Amino acid sequence: MNQDELKKTLLKLPLGDVKYFDSIGSTNNEALAWATNDAKDLSLVIADEQTAGRGRLDRKWFTPKGTALAFSLILRPTAQEKPYLTRMVGLAALAVVDALRTRALVAQIKWPNDVLLNGRKVAGILVESVWSGEEVDCLVIGIGINVLKSAVPPAELLQFLATSLEESLGPAVERGEILHDILAGIIALRPHLGSDSFVASWEKALAFRGEQVQVEEGNGNSITGKLLGLESDGSLRLSDEQGNSVTVRFGDVRLRPHV
Ligand code: BT5
């Protein structure tokens, strides 16, 4: 990724400061450290390679050099946004889905934090918070996207099948343009975070809606049921095998189709 080109592309957006790394451990770690100091709202950390990229619960996220997008956006939530912070992962996922839609790709959100293309994971999202006392002071939205085929890890390292943009779009994928569109999407969606129409759009983009799914919770529990949609806070609504309504909250949750 040409840094000068990238800077020119990003200049079109009202970002805070931007830090670019050829190689880094994890853009989220860098952004979290920056956020606890003086990072402005909408500051961005982007890297061409991550050597210690993280998923949830310190699972690994692979970002081989020159093959992917890996970035972390720092948000300083406003008072209006603070009641709705559990929706931020949906906002990031929707921005990815929207950016892919403008490239004629129909992506879906595998609740809570994956984006699927043709039923395979093309992007993962990791939202982390910096607290100040009882309040969230900053959010870091980390997004990793497999752009080239060579970004996709070997199947034995994966819990869920993966794909890349190249598999759908061919090799001429402009990473900087996609990054620009996702960031522009996040900025455009932010004022709508608290609205019902935002939750409706998020719900509409969910994978497996109306289908039987199995949700494994971190505590070893597993729930099988029909995926109905979302609660107002972004929790998942299922109807279990007895027809009871069940709510699954965020946490260490894995969702897959039930076969
Ligand atoms: C995620 O976690 O999917 C969140 C990934 C967030 C990555 C971004 S990159 C920029 C920023 N900096 C970071 O350090 N992280 C963020 P989770 O749902 O826990 O999924 C992790 C699982 O995805 C792993 O255990 C693997 O099975 C799988 N995986 C790892 N790398 C992958 C890749 N490149 N493509 C598809 N699946 C992958």
Side-chain angles (χ1 to χ4, degrees), residues 82-101:
K82 282 195 178 174
Y84 303 106
L85 295 185
T86 56
R87 298 183 179 185
M88 273 300 179
V89 64
L91 184 137
L94 261 185
V96 174
V97 168
D98 289 347
L100 298 187
R101 189 181 301 116

Side-chain angles (χ1 to χ4, degrees), residues 26-28 50 53-56 59-62 70-72 113-114 121 124-126 142-144 146 151 153 157-159 162:
S26 151
T27 57
N28 260 40
Q50 289 188 117
R54 295 189 288 110
R56 292 176 299 157
R59 287 195 278 260
K60 286 195 166 75
W61 181 263
F62 297 93
F71 59 94
S72 301
N113 67 318
D114 296 340
K121 182 162 171 172
I125 297 164
L126 179 66
I143 304 185
N146 299 327
L157 296 178
L158 299 176
Q159 292 150 351

